PDB file of all heavy atoms in Angstrom:
ATOM      1  N   ASP G   1      92.787 103.192 106.508  1.00 71.00           N
ATOM      2  CA  ASP G   1      92.760 101.927 107.189  1.00 71.00           C
ATOM      3  C   ASP G   1      93.456 100.828 106.403  1.00 71.00           C
ATOM      4  O   ASP G   1      93.249  99.634 106.640  1.00 71.00           O
ATOM      5  CB  ASP G   1      91.305 101.508 107.442  1.00 71.00           C
ATOM      6  CG  ASP G   1      90.473 101.518 106.170  1.00 71.00           C
ATOM      7  OD1 ASP G   1      91.059 101.809 105.110  1.00 71.00           O
ATOM      8  OD2 ASP G   1      89.241 101.266 106.234  1.00 71.00           O
ATOM      9  N   GLY G   2      94.320 101.230 105.505  1.00 79.00           N
ATOM     10  CA  GLY G   2      95.043 100.221 104.678  1.00 79.00           C
ATOM     11  C   GLY G   2      94.309  99.910 103.367  1.00 79.00           C
ATOM     12  O   GLY G   2      94.878  99.226 102.509  1.00 79.00           O
ATOM     13  N   PHE G   3      93.106 100.391 103.243  1.00 88.00           N
ATOM     14  CA  PHE G   3      92.313 100.212 102.012  1.00 88.00           C
ATOM     15  C   PHE G   3      92.340 101.510 101.236  1.00 88.00           C
ATOM     16  O   PHE G   3      92.414 102.602 101.758  1.00 88.00           O
ATOM     17  CB  PHE G   3      90.856  99.850 102.309  1.00 88.00           C
ATOM     18  CG  PHE G   3      90.662  98.398 102.709  1.00 88.00           C
ATOM     19  CD1 PHE G   3      90.810  98.015 104.047  1.00 88.00           C
ATOM     20  CD2 PHE G   3      90.304  97.437 101.788  1.00 88.00           C
ATOM     21  CE1 PHE G   3      90.607  96.705 104.438  1.00 88.00           C
ATOM     22  CE2 PHE G   3      90.128  96.136 102.158  1.00 88.00           C
ATOM     23  CZ  PHE G   3      90.258  95.737 103.476  1.00 88.00           C
ATOM     24  N   PHE G   4      92.225 101.365  99.894  1.00 92.00           N
ATOM     25  CA  PHE G   4      91.965 102.551  99.064  1.00 92.00           C
ATOM     26  C   PHE G   4      90.932 102.154  98.032  1.00 92.00           C
ATOM     27  O   PHE G   4      90.775 101.016  97.680  1.00 92.00           O
ATOM     28  CB  PHE G   4      93.273 103.034  98.390  1.00 92.00           C
ATOM     29  CG  PHE G   4      94.021 101.958  97.585  1.00 92.00           C
ATOM     30  CD1 PHE G   4      93.623 101.681  96.240  1.00 92.00           C
ATOM     31  CD2 PHE G   4      95.085 101.265  98.116  1.00 92.00           C
ATOM     32  CE1 PHE G   4      94.311 100.717  95.525  1.00 92.00           C
ATOM     33  CE2 PHE G   4      95.752 100.319  97.393  1.00 92.00           C
ATOM     34  CZ  PHE G   4      95.374 100.038  96.074  1.00 92.00           C
ATOM     35  N   SER G   5      90.213 103.124  97.583  1.00 91.00           N
ATOM     36  CA  SER G   5      89.141 102.917  96.596  1.00 91.00           C
ATOM     37  C   SER G   5      89.750 103.055  95.180  1.00 91.00           C
ATOM     38  O   SER G   5      90.692 103.796  94.973  1.00 91.00           O
ATOM     39  CB  SER G   5      88.013 103.861  96.771  1.00 91.00           C
ATOM     40  OG  SER G   5      88.439 105.200  96.578  1.00 91.00           O
ATOM     41  N   VAL G   6      89.147 102.270  94.223  1.00 92.00           N
ATOM     42  CA  VAL G   6      89.571 102.437  92.815  1.00 92.00           C
ATOM     43  C   VAL G   6      88.337 102.748  91.998  1.00 92.00           C
ATOM     44  O   VAL G   6      87.194 102.430  92.378  1.00 92.00           O
ATOM     45  CB  VAL G   6      90.237 101.123  92.326  1.00 92.00           C
ATOM     46  CG1 VAL G   6      91.574 100.881  93.005  1.00 92.00           C
ATOM     47  CG2 VAL G   6      89.309  99.938  92.469  1.00 92.00           C
ATOM     48  N   ASN G   7      88.572 103.305  90.865  1.00 90.00           N
ATOM     49  CA  ASN G   7      87.492 103.703  89.968  1.00 90.00           C
ATOM     50  C   ASN G   7      87.286 102.629  88.907  1.00 90.00           C
ATOM     51  O   ASN G   7      88.135 102.390  88.092  1.00 90.00           O
ATOM     52  CB  ASN G   7      87.816 105.055  89.248  1.00 90.00           C
ATOM     53  CG  ASN G   7      86.734 105.515  88.339  1.00 90.00           C
ATOM     54  OD1 ASN G   7      85.669 104.902  88.260  1.00 90.00           O
ATOM     55  ND2 ASN G   7      86.997 106.570  87.559  1.00 90.00           N
ATOM     56  N   LEU G   8      86.124 101.930  88.985  1.00 86.00           N
ATOM     57  CA  LEU G   8      85.916 100.808  88.089  1.00 86.00           C
ATOM     58  C   LEU G   8      85.758 101.292  86.614  1.00 86.00           C
ATOM     59  O   LEU G   8      85.840 100.471  85.694  1.00 86.00           O
ATOM     60  CB  LEU G   8      84.595 100.057  88.474  1.00 86.00           C
ATOM     61  CG  LEU G   8      84.767  99.096  89.631  1.00 86.00           C
ATOM     62  CD1 LEU G   8      83.393  98.490  90.022  1.00 86.00           C
ATOM     63  CD2 LEU G   8      85.731  97.999  89.275  1.00 86.00           C
ATOM     64  N   ASP G   9      85.589 102.541  86.415  1.00 89.00           N
ATOM     65  CA  ASP G   9      85.527 103.104  85.053  1.00 89.00           C
ATOM     66  C   ASP G   9      86.923 103.479  84.537  1.00 89.00           C
ATOM     67  O   ASP G   9      87.037 104.052  83.443  1.00 89.00           O
ATOM     68  CB  ASP G   9      84.647 104.326  85.004  1.00 89.00           C
ATOM     69  CG  ASP G   9      83.152 103.952  84.899  1.00 89.00           C
ATOM     70  OD1 ASP G   9      82.815 103.061  84.108  1.00 89.00           O
ATOM     71  OD2 ASP G   9      82.353 104.566  85.617  1.00 89.00           O
ATOM     72  N   ALA G  10      87.973 103.211  85.319  1.00 91.00           N
ATOM     73  CA  ALA G  10      89.324 103.554  84.855  1.00 91.00           C
ATOM     74  C   ALA G  10      89.588 102.885  83.502  1.00 91.00           C
ATOM     75  O   ALA G  10      89.230 101.734  83.256  1.00 91.00           O
ATOM     76  CB  ALA G  10      90.323 103.102  85.889  1.00 91.00           C
ATOM     77  N   VAL G  11      90.288 103.623  82.607  1.00 92.00           N
ATOM     78  CA  VAL G  11      90.533 103.135  81.261  1.00 92.00           C
ATOM     79  C   VAL G  11      92.035 102.918  81.064  1.00 92.00           C
ATOM     80  O   VAL G  11      92.853 103.762  81.309  1.00 92.00           O
ATOM     81  CB  VAL G  11      90.045 104.200  80.224  1.00 92.00           C
ATOM     82  CG1 VAL G  11      90.328 103.688  78.806  1.00 92.00           C
ATOM     83  CG2 VAL G  11      88.547 104.488  80.437  1.00 92.00           C
ATOM     84  N   ARG G  12      92.345 101.669  80.679  1.00 90.00           N
ATOM     85  CA  ARG G  12      93.745 101.325  80.435  1.00 90.00           C
ATOM     86  C   ARG G  12      94.284 102.025  79.183  1.00 90.00           C
ATOM     87  O   ARG G  12      93.494 102.500  78.308  1.00 90.00           O
ATOM     88  CB  ARG G  12      93.914  99.819  80.291  1.00 90.00           C
ATOM     89  CG  ARG G  12      93.302  99.239  79.036  1.00 90.00           C
ATOM     90  CD  ARG G  12      93.797  97.809  78.771  1.00 90.00           C
ATOM     91  NE  ARG G  12      93.093  97.194  77.656  1.00 90.00           N
ATOM     92  CZ  ARG G  12      93.395  97.357  76.382  1.00 90.00           C
ATOM     93  NH1 ARG G  12      94.362  98.233  76.026  1.00 90.00           N
ATOM     94  NH2 ARG G  12      92.713  96.766  75.427  1.00 90.00           N
ATOM     95  N   THR G  13      95.588 102.114  79.081  1.00 87.00           N
ATOM     96  CA  THR G  13      96.195 102.710  77.889  1.00 87.00           C
ATOM     97  C   THR G  13      95.799 101.988  76.629  1.00 87.00           C
ATOM     98  O   THR G  13      95.807 100.722  76.575  1.00 87.00           O
ATOM     99  CB  THR G  13      97.766 102.602  78.035  1.00 87.00           C
ATOM    100  OG1 THR G  13      98.126 103.280  79.244  1.00 87.00           O
ATOM    101  CG2 THR G  13      98.449 103.279  76.828  1.00 87.00           C
ATOM    102  N   GLY G  14      95.398 102.728  75.611  1.00 85.00           N
ATOM    103  CA  GLY G  14      94.964 102.147  74.342  1.00 85.00           C
ATOM    104  C   GLY G  14      93.490 102.176  74.141  1.00 85.00           C
ATOM    105  O   GLY G  14      93.023 101.880  73.017  1.00 85.00           O
ATOM    106  N   LEU G  15      92.718 102.454  75.191  1.00 86.00           N
ATOM    107  CA  LEU G  15      91.278 102.521  75.053  1.00 86.00           C
ATOM    108  C   LEU G  15      90.821 103.992  75.111  1.00 86.00           C
ATOM    109  O   LEU G  15      91.427 104.813  75.794  1.00 86.00           O
ATOM    110  CB  LEU G  15      90.572 101.754  76.176  1.00 86.00           C
ATOM    111  CG  LEU G  15      90.720 100.226  76.139  1.00 86.00           C
ATOM    112  CD1 LEU G  15      89.886  99.595  77.269  1.00 86.00           C
ATOM    113  CD2 LEU G  15      90.244  99.655  74.801  1.00 86.00           C
ATOM    114  N   ARG G  16      89.693 104.316  74.450  1.00 83.00           N
ATOM    115  CA  ARG G  16      89.244 105.682  74.383  1.00 83.00           C
ATOM    116  C   ARG G  16      88.353 106.073  75.553  1.00 83.00           C
ATOM    117  O   ARG G  16      88.448 107.206  76.059  1.00 83.00           O
ATOM    118  CB  ARG G  16      88.437 105.916  73.065  1.00 83.00           C
ATOM    119  CG  ARG G  16      89.300 105.837  71.834  1.00 83.00           C
ATOM    120  CD  ARG G  16      88.490 106.142  70.618  1.00 83.00           C
ATOM    121  NE  ARG G  16      89.301 106.126  69.401  1.00 83.00           N
ATOM    122  CZ  ARG G  16      88.864 106.415  68.206  1.00 83.00           C
ATOM    123  NH1 ARG G  16      87.533 106.690  68.011  1.00 83.00           N
ATOM    124  NH2 ARG G  16      89.640 106.373  67.136  1.00 83.00           N
ATOM    125  N   GLY G  17      87.528 105.152  76.040  1.00 83.00           N
ATOM    126  CA  GLY G  17      86.647 105.534  77.129  1.00 83.00           C
ATOM    127  C   GLY G  17      86.000 104.279  77.737  1.00 83.00           C
ATOM    128  O   GLY G  17      86.203 103.171  77.265  1.00 83.00           O
ATOM    129  N   SER G  18      85.258 104.513  78.826  1.00 82.00           N
ATOM    130  CA  SER G  18      84.700 103.394  79.551  1.00 82.00           C
ATOM    131  C   SER G  18      83.276 103.086  79.068  1.00 82.00           C
ATOM    132  O   SER G  18      82.577 103.905  78.523  1.00 82.00           O
ATOM    133  CB  SER G  18      84.656 103.684  81.011  1.00 82.00           C
ATOM    134  OG  SER G  18      84.166 102.605  81.770  1.00 82.00           O
ATOM    135  N   ASN G  19      82.864 101.837  79.293  1.00 82.00           N
ATOM    136  CA  ASN G  19      81.490 101.356  79.056  1.00 82.00           C
ATOM    137  C   ASN G  19      81.277 100.130  79.924  1.00 82.00           C
ATOM    138  O   ASN G  19      82.124  99.793  80.758  1.00 82.00           O
ATOM    139  CB  ASN G  19      81.286 101.012  77.562  1.00 82.00           C
ATOM    140  CG  ASN G  19      82.315 100.052  77.005  1.00 82.00           C
ATOM    141  OD1 ASN G  19      82.905  99.269  77.772  1.00 82.00           O
ATOM    142  ND2 ASN G  19      82.522 100.126  75.718  1.00 82.00           N
ATOM    143  N   ASP G  20      80.125  99.508  79.787  1.00 79.00           N
ATOM    144  CA  ASP G  20      79.834  98.295  80.581  1.00 79.00           C
ATOM    145  C   ASP G  20      80.903  97.235  80.429  1.00 79.00           C
ATOM    146  O   ASP G  20      81.312  96.602  81.429  1.00 79.00           O
ATOM    147  CB  ASP G  20      78.496  97.673  80.180  1.00 79.00           C
ATOM    148  CG  ASP G  20      77.308  98.592  80.504  1.00 79.00           C
ATOM    149  OD1 ASP G  20      77.539  99.631  81.149  1.00 79.00           O
ATOM    150  OD2 ASP G  20      76.175  98.250  80.140  1.00 79.00           O
ATOM    151  N   GLU G  21      81.360  97.007  79.213  1.00 81.00           N
ATOM    152  CA  GLU G  21      82.347  95.981  78.966  1.00 81.00           C
ATOM    153  C   GLU G  21      83.698  96.334  79.638  1.00 81.00           C
ATOM    154  O   GLU G  21      84.379  95.427  80.184  1.00 81.00           O
ATOM    155  CB  GLU G  21      82.539  95.800  77.477  1.00 81.00           C
ATOM    156  CG  GLU G  21      83.276  94.558  77.083  1.00 81.00           C
ATOM    157  CD  GLU G  21      82.572  93.270  77.414  1.00 81.00           C
ATOM    158  OE1 GLU G  21      81.366  93.298  77.719  1.00 81.00           O
ATOM    159  OE2 GLU G  21      83.219  92.202  77.338  1.00 81.00           O
ATOM    160  N   ASN G  22      84.038  97.594  79.638  1.00 86.00           N
ATOM    161  CA  ASN G  22      85.299  98.008  80.323  1.00 86.00           C
ATOM    162  C   ASN G  22      85.196  97.728  81.813  1.00 86.00           C
ATOM    163  O   ASN G  22      86.220  97.240  82.421  1.00 86.00           O
ATOM    164  CB  ASN G  22      85.536  99.495  80.082  1.00 86.00           C
ATOM    165  CG  ASN G  22      86.813 100.009  80.720  1.00 86.00           C
ATOM    166  OD1 ASN G  22      87.912  99.522  80.440  1.00 86.00           O
ATOM    167  ND2 ASN G  22      86.670 100.932  81.658  1.00 86.00           N
ATOM    168  N   VAL G  23      84.036  97.996  82.428  1.00 83.00           N
ATOM    169  CA  VAL G  23      83.862  97.737  83.874  1.00 83.00           C
ATOM    170  C   VAL G  23      84.007  96.235  84.117  1.00 83.00           C
ATOM    171  O   VAL G  23      84.649  95.817  85.091  1.00 83.00           O
ATOM    172  CB  VAL G  23      82.489  98.262  84.336  1.00 83.00           C
ATOM    173  CG1 VAL G  23      82.223  97.789  85.767  1.00 83.00           C
ATOM    174  CG2 VAL G  23      82.431  99.776  84.267  1.00 83.00           C
ATOM    175  N   ARG G  24      83.406  95.403  83.239  1.00 80.00           N
ATOM    176  CA  ARG G  24      83.480  93.950  83.453  1.00 80.00           C
ATOM    177  C   ARG G  24      84.941  93.486  83.408  1.00 80.00           C
ATOM    178  O   ARG G  24      85.345  92.658  84.202  1.00 80.00           O
ATOM    179  CB  ARG G  24      82.660  93.220  82.365  1.00 80.00           C
ATOM    180  CG  ARG G  24      81.175  93.388  82.528  1.00 80.00           C
ATOM    181  CD  ARG G  24      80.441  92.397  81.593  1.00 80.00           C
ATOM    182  NE  ARG G  24      79.004  92.601  81.693  1.00 80.00           N
ATOM    183  CZ  ARG G  24      78.275  93.345  80.922  1.00 80.00           C
ATOM    184  NH1 ARG G  24      78.870  94.037  79.931  1.00 80.00           N
ATOM    185  NH2 ARG G  24      76.983  93.487  81.078  1.00 80.00           N
ATOM    186  N   TRP G  25      85.683  93.990  82.431  1.00 84.00           N
ATOM    187  CA  TRP G  25      87.084  93.549  82.320  1.00 84.00           C
ATOM    188  C   TRP G  25      87.934  94.072  83.498  1.00 84.00           C
ATOM    189  O   TRP G  25      88.874  93.392  83.942  1.00 84.00           O
ATOM    190  CB  TRP G  25      87.659  93.979  80.955  1.00 84.00           C
ATOM    191  CG  TRP G  25      87.244  93.040  79.867  1.00 84.00           C
ATOM    192  CD1 TRP G  25      86.270  93.268  78.899  1.00 84.00           C
ATOM    193  CD2 TRP G  25      87.721  91.692  79.653  1.00 84.00           C
ATOM    194  NE1 TRP G  25      86.169  92.145  78.128  1.00 84.00           N
ATOM    195  CE2 TRP G  25      87.047  91.214  78.527  1.00 84.00           C
ATOM    196  CE3 TRP G  25      88.672  90.913  80.289  1.00 84.00           C
ATOM    197  CZ2 TRP G  25      87.285  89.903  78.023  1.00 84.00           C
ATOM    198  CZ3 TRP G  25      88.904  89.603  79.790  1.00 84.00           C
ATOM    199  CH2 TRP G  25      88.251  89.117  78.668  1.00 84.00           C
ATOM    200  N   ASN G  26      87.619  95.281  83.958  1.00 88.00           N
ATOM    201  CA  ASN G  26      88.359  95.781  85.177  1.00 88.00           C
ATOM    202  C   ASN G  26      88.039  94.848  86.350  1.00 88.00           C
ATOM    203  O   ASN G  26      88.950  94.524  87.159  1.00 88.00           O
ATOM    204  CB  ASN G  26      87.940  97.193  85.478  1.00 88.00           C
ATOM    205  CG  ASN G  26      88.633  98.212  84.624  1.00 88.00           C
ATOM    206  OD1 ASN G  26      89.689  97.880  84.026  1.00 88.00           O
ATOM    207  ND2 ASN G  26      88.108  99.422  84.532  1.00 88.00           N
ATOM    208  N   MET G  27      86.786  94.403  86.478  1.00 84.00           N
ATOM    209  CA  MET G  27      86.419  93.488  87.534  1.00 84.00           C
ATOM    210  C   MET G  27      87.149  92.183  87.378  1.00 84.00           C
ATOM    211  O   MET G  27      87.660  91.578  88.347  1.00 84.00           O
ATOM    212  CB  MET G  27      84.906  93.206  87.533  1.00 84.00           C
ATOM    213  CG  MET G  27      84.081  94.330  88.136  1.00 84.00           C
ATOM    214  SD  MET G  27      84.400  94.558  89.886  1.00 84.00           S
ATOM    215  CE  MET G  27      84.257  92.931  90.508  1.00 84.00           C
TER     216      MET G  27
END
């Protein structure tokens, strides 16, 4: 429908893994 879902735990290049702070910055 023109929308796609994204994973809020996605990790940008240079980071090892996700946590609460990673989710906040993605938001």
Side-chain angles (χ1 to χ4, degrees):
D1 53 3
F3 283 86
F4 55 83
S5 62
V6 294
N7 180 7
L8 281 175
D9 278 315
V11 179
R12 67 167 175 81
T13 303
L15 292 182
R16 293 184 176 181
S18 184
N19 53 26
D20 293 354
E21 193 65 12
N22 181 60
V23 172
R24 290 191 183 96
W25 280 104
N26 280 342
M27 282 297 308

